[in-house]
Amino acid sequence: MTLFAAVYLGVINLATFAIFGLDKAAAADKVNRGRSRVPERVLLTLAALGGSPGALLARPVFRHKTRKQPFGAWLTLIVFLQGAAIVVGAAIWRTRL
């Protein structure tokens, strides 16, 4: 189970990071304006599914979605909720030892 979780989190974070990069490339493409962008909802969903570290790392690396609101607020909320879930889960797990 732990191995599955580690592999899953690694894959989802790499995918999230890569998709942020692809969206930045599409946004910066001056020649091919018809290139499709990744909807913000998809980026936030990837973060909510466990890719928030990849999303947080991709923002400054690609300089993408750093000033965009409410995107930044939603991403911050997702990270906060995931952190709270980890704390609660750890507390429950600890009481069962």
Side-chain angles (χ1 to χ4, degrees):
M1 181 69 171
T2 305
L3 178 61
F4 173 77
V7 170
Y8 170 78
L9 289 173
V11 169
I12 193 74
N13 278 286
L14 285 172
T16 302
F17 185 86
I19 291 171
F20 264 78
L22 291 172
D23 188 47
K24 176 60 177 188
D29 191 356
K30 305 284 187 213
V31 176
N32 193 3
R33 283 286 185 196
R35 194 169 169 187
S36 63
R37 299 280 309 274
V38 178
E40 288 184 358
R41 178 174 291 170
V42 171
L43 297 174
L44 290 170
T45 300
L46 287 168
L49 291 174
S52 56
L56 291 173
L57 181 62
R59 288 179 78 196
V61 168
F62 298 118
R63 294 186 192 162
H64 190 48
K65 303 283 185 193
T66 55
R67 293 181 291 167
K68 183 85 172 173
Q69 291 299 338
F71 183 87
W74 282 112
L75 184 57
T76 302
L77 177 63
I78 288 168
V79 170
F80 173 78
L81 291 174
Q82 288 174 339
I86 289 169
V87 168
V88 169
I92 291 170
W93 179 72
R94 187 176 172 131
T95 61
R96 294 185 180 196
L97 290 180

